[in-house]
Coordinates of all heavy atoms in Angstrom, one line a residue:
N1 N -54.9 -11.4 70.4 CA -55.7 -12.6 70.8 C -54.8 -13.8 70.8 O -55.3 -14.9 70.5 CB -56.9 -12.7 69.9 CG -57.8 -11.5 69.9 OD1 -58.1 -11.0 71.0 ND2 -58.2 -11.1 68.8
S2 N -53.6 -13.7 71.2 CA -52.7 -14.9 71.3 C -53.2 -15.8 72.5 O -53.0 -17.0 72.4 CB -51.3 -14.5 71.4 OG -51.0 -13.9 72.7
G3 N -53.7 -15.1 73.5 CA -54.1 -15.9 74.7 C -53.0 -16.5 75.5 O -53.2 -17.3 76.4
S4 N -51.8 -16.1 75.2 CA -50.6 -16.7 75.9 C -49.9 -15.7 76.7 O -49.9 -14.5 76.4 CB -49.7 -17.2 74.8 OG -48.5 -17.7 75.4
P5 N -49.4 -16.0 77.9 CA -48.6 -15.1 78.7 C -47.2 -14.8 78.2 O -46.6 -13.9 78.6 CB -48.6 -15.8 80.1 CG -48.7 -17.2 79.8 CD -49.6 -17.3 78.5
I6 N -46.7 -15.8 77.4 CA -45.4 -15.6 76.8 C -45.4 -16.0 75.4 O -46.3 -16.8 75.0 CB -44.3 -16.4 77.6 CG1 -44.6 -17.9 77.5 CG2 -44.2 -15.9 79.1 CD1 -43.4 -18.7 78.2
G7 N -44.5 -15.6 74.6 CA -44.4 -15.9 73.2 C -43.0 -15.7 72.6 O -42.2 -15.2 73.3
R8 N -42.9 -16.1 71.4 CA -41.6 -15.9 70.7 C -41.8 -15.6 69.2 O -42.8 -15.8 68.7 CB -40.7 -17.1 70.9 CG -41.2 -18.4 70.2 CD -40.3 -19.5 70.5 NE -40.6 -20.7 69.7 CZ -40.1 -21.9 69.8 NH1 -39.1 -22.1 70.7 NH2 -40.4 -22.9 69.0
N9 N -40.7 -15.1 68.6 CA -40.7 -14.9 67.2 C -40.7 -16.2 66.5 O -39.9 -17.1 66.8 CB -39.4 -14.1 66.9 CG -39.4 -13.7 65.4 OD1 -39.3 -14.5 64.5 ND2 -39.4 -12.4 65.2
D10 N -41.6 -16.4 65.5 CA -41.8 -17.7 64.9 C -40.5 -18.1 64.1 O -40.2 -19.3 64.0 CB -43.0 -17.7 63.9 CG -44.3 -17.6 64.7 OD1 -44.3 -18.1 65.8 OD2 -45.3 -17.2 64.1
T11 N -39.8 -17.1 63.6 CA -38.6 -17.4 62.7 C -37.3 -17.4 63.5 O -36.3 -17.8 63.0 CB -38.5 -16.5 61.5 OG1 -38.5 -15.1 62.0 CG2 -39.7 -16.7 60.6
S12 N -37.4 -16.8 64.7 CA -36.2 -16.7 65.6 C -36.5 -17.0 67.0 O -36.9 -16.1 67.8 CB -35.5 -15.3 65.4 OG -34.3 -15.3 66.2
P13 N -36.4 -18.2 67.4 CA -36.8 -18.6 68.8 C -35.9 -17.9 69.9 O -36.3 -18.1 71.1 CB -36.7 -20.1 68.8 CG -35.8 -20.5 67.7 CD -36.0 -19.4 66.7
R14 N -34.9 -17.3 69.5 CA -34.1 -16.6 70.5 C -34.8 -15.3 71.0 O -34.4 -14.7 72.0 CB -32.7 -16.2 69.9 CG -31.8 -17.3 69.5 CD -30.5 -16.7 68.9 NE -29.6 -17.8 68.5 CZ -28.7 -18.3 69.3 NH1 -28.6 -17.9 70.6 NH2 -27.9 -19.3 68.9
L15 N -35.8 -14.8 70.2 CA -36.5 -13.6 70.6 C -37.8 -13.9 71.2 O -38.7 -14.5 70.6 CB -36.7 -12.8 69.3 CG -35.5 -12.4 68.5 CD1 -35.9 -11.7 67.2 CD2 -34.5 -11.5 69.3
N16 N -37.9 -13.6 72.5 CA -39.1 -13.9 73.3 C -39.7 -12.8 74.0 O -39.0 -11.8 74.5 CB -38.7 -15.0 74.4 CG -38.1 -16.2 73.7 OD1 -38.8 -17.2 73.5 ND2 -36.8 -16.2 73.4
W17 N -41.0 -12.8 74.2 CA -41.7 -11.7 74.9 C -42.4 -12.4 76.1 O -42.8 -13.5 76.1 CB -42.7 -10.9 74.1 CG -43.8 -11.7 73.3 CD1 -43.7 -12.2 72.0 CD2 -45.1 -12.1 73.8 NE1 -44.9 -12.8 71.7 CE2 -45.7 -12.8 72.8 CE3 -45.7 -12.0 75.1 CZ2 -47.0 -13.4 73.0 CZ3 -47.0 -12.5 75.2 CH2 -47.6 -13.2 74.2
V18 N -42.6 -11.6 77.1 CA -43.3 -12.0 78.4 C -44.3 -10.9 78.7 O -43.9 -9.7 78.7 CB -42.3 -12.1 79.5 CG1 -43.0 -12.5 80.8 CG2 -41.3 -13.2 79.2
N19 N -45.5 -11.2 78.9 CA -46.6 -10.3 79.1 C -46.6 -9.9 80.6 O -47.6 -10.2 81.3 CB -47.9 -10.8 78.7 CG -49.0 -9.7 78.6 OD1 -48.7 -8.6 78.2 ND2 -50.2 -10.0 78.9
S20 N -45.6 -9.1 81.0 CA -45.5 -8.6 82.4 C -44.4 -7.6 82.4 O -44.1 -6.9 81.4 CB -45.2 -9.8 83.3 OG -45.3 -9.4 84.7
F21 N -43.8 -7.4 83.6 CA -42.9 -6.4 83.8 C -41.5 -6.8 83.4 O -41.2 -8.0 83.3 CB -42.9 -6.0 85.3 CG -44.2 -5.3 85.7 CD1 -45.1 -5.9 86.6 CD2 -44.5 -4.0 85.3 CE1 -46.2 -5.3 86.9 CE2 -45.6 -3.4 85.6 CZ -46.5 -4.1 86.5
P22 N -40.5 -5.9 83.3 CA -39.1 -6.2 82.9 C -38.5 -7.3 83.8 O -37.9 -8.2 83.4 CB -38.4 -4.9 83.0 CG -39.4 -3.9 82.7 CD -40.7 -4.4 83.4
V23 N -38.6 -7.1 85.2 CA -38.0 -8.1 86.1 C -38.6 -9.5 85.9 O -37.9 -10.5 85.9 CB -38.1 -7.6 87.5 CG1 -37.8 -8.7 88.5 CG2 -37.2 -6.4 87.8
T24 N -39.9 -9.5 85.7 CA -40.6 -10.8 85.4 C -40.0 -11.4 84.1 O -39.7 -12.7 84.1 CB -42.1 -10.6 85.2 OG1 -42.6 -9.8 86.3 CG2 -42.8 -12.0 85.2
S25 N -39.8 -10.6 83.1 CA -39.2 -11.1 81.9 C -37.8 -11.7 82.1 O -37.4 -12.7 81.5 CB -39.1 -9.9 80.9 OG -40.4 -9.4 80.6
M26 N -37.0 -11.0 82.9 CA -35.7 -11.5 83.2 C -35.8 -12.8 84.0 O -35.0 -13.7 83.7 CB -34.9 -10.4 84.0 CG -33.5 -10.9 84.4 SD -32.4 -11.2 83.0 CE -31.7 -9.6 82.6
R27 N -36.7 -12.8 84.9 CA -36.8 -14.0 85.7 C -37.2 -15.2 84.9 O -36.6 -16.3 85.0 CB -37.9 -13.8 86.8 CG -38.2 -15.0 87.7 CD -39.0 -14.7 88.9 NE -40.2 -14.0 88.7 CZ -41.4 -14.7 88.5 NH1 -41.4 -16.0 88.4 NH2 -42.5 -14.0 88.3
Y28 N -38.2 -15.0 84.0 CA -38.6 -16.1 83.1 C -37.5 -16.5 82.1 O -37.3 -17.7 81.8 CB -39.8 -15.7 82.3 CG -41.1 -16.2 82.9 CD1 -41.6 -15.7 84.2 CD2 -41.8 -17.3 82.4 CE1 -42.7 -16.2 84.8 CE2 -43.0 -17.8 83.0 CZ -43.4 -17.2 84.2 OH -44.5 -17.7 84.8
G29 N -36.7 -15.5 81.7 CA -35.6 -15.8 80.8 C -34.5 -16.6 81.5 O -34.0 -17.6 80.9
I30 N -34.2 -16.3 82.8 CA -33.2 -17.1 83.5 C -33.7 -18.5 83.9 O -33.0 -19.5 83.8 CB -32.9 -16.3 84.8 CG1 -32.1 -15.0 84.4 CG2 -32.0 -17.2 85.7 CD1 -31.9 -14.1 85.6

């Protein structure tokens, strides 16, 4: 129930998730 399309690790902002496909994740990362 985060309600967010993307998120990150609270203690390590280098670690991010994207609620979609791998290519979408790479696109958002770039």
